[in-house]
Amino acid sequence: MKVMHRAHRGFSLIELIVGLVVMSIALTFLSTLFFSNPSRSVEPLLQIRAAQFGSALMDEILSKKFDELTPEGGVPACTACSALLGSDGESRDSYDDVDDYNDSCGARIPLTDALGNSPAHYNNYEMEVCVFYDDNYDGVDDGATGNTAKLITINIYLPPGSGLSAPLTFSAYKGNY
């Protein structure tokens, strides 16, 4: 009985070239997927630092009195609160009410901690803090004075070239009670 064997054939040159082209395209796609742009890999770290600082600053501000005329402990609440928002000649390390932080409203300033020092690892970060009366809770500064609530808005700006031009914004109300 005669058995017929097929001749073993290899790949032709054209099949090898097509296979290499397909493989190189797939590897290029996968490498860009797994190894992203190094400049973008630091962006989340910068955002995390900004978020941590913004949160800590908001906690610091909310721990202060509602107004300069509010007694220590907050009781009784001020009924004739001060109309002028901003520091009363205090330095950053001696701010005692929430509207003292309004001094940086409308201007970016370097980040400073509660003692007025520039914290490590925050080079080229900037902040802006705005405080205004918002008794109707609409989030709009209409220039009115009141005695119910102040809206505190913190903008933290990342260093130039970080890929994020918009600030990270934190907002909270401080009630007069």
Side-chain angles (χ1 to χ4, degrees):
M1 175 151 100
K2 191 174 182 185
V3 178
M4 304 238 341
H5 291 284
R6 269 173 121 194
H8 292 279
R9 290 182 19 181
F11 292 105
S12 70
L13 183 59
I14 293 176
E15 291 171 330
L16 283 173
I17 291 173
V18 169
L20 287 172
V21 168
V22 169
M23 184 70 82
S24 65
I25 291 171
L27 286 175
T28 302
F29 174 74
L30 289 174
S31 67
T32 58
L33 183 66
F34 290 118
F35 305 109
S36 64
N37 186 355
S39 66
R40 292 188 48 91
S41 65
V42 77
E43 185 177 316
L45 175 64
L46 297 174
Q47 291 175 350
I48 289 169
R49 283 185 181 163
Q52 288 173 333
F53 189 88
S55 178
L57 181 58
M58 184 63 78
D59 289 343
E60 175 191 336
I61 295 171
L62 290 173
S63 72
K64 306 297 182 183
K65 300 185 304 183
F66 177 78
D67 194 75
E68 190 68 33
L69 302 176
T70 302
E72 289 299 322
V75 178
C78 71
T79 53
C81 301
S82 60
L84 182 62
L85 300 176
S87 68
D88 307 304
E90 302 117 335
S91 60
R92 171 79 166 84
D93 61 340
S94 61
Y95 284 174
D96 60 352
D97 61 283
V98 296
D99 63 73
D100 287 345
Y101 293 86
N102 195 52
D103 284 349
S104 68
C105 189
R108 293 183 182 187
I109 61 170
L111 296 185
T112 55
D113 62 16
L115 300 175
N117 301 319
S118 297
H121 306 297
Y122 287 95
N123 294 335
N124 300 319
Y125 283 82
E126 296 176 319
M127 68 180 184
E128 174 189 20
V129 181
C130 293
V131 181
F132 61 87
Y133 286 105
D134 191 14
D135 285 356
N136 59 3
Y137 298 95
D138 65 355
V140 177
D141 184 5
D142 52 13
T145 59
N147 62 3
T148 305
K150 291 180 181 175
L151 177 60
I152 304 158
T153 304
I154 300 172
N155 291 318
I156 305 291
Y157 297 89
L158 274 64
S162 64
L164 186 65
S165 59
L168 273 69
T169 302
F170 302 84
S171 296
Y173 282 95
K174 175 74 173 185
N176 184 15
Y177 47 84

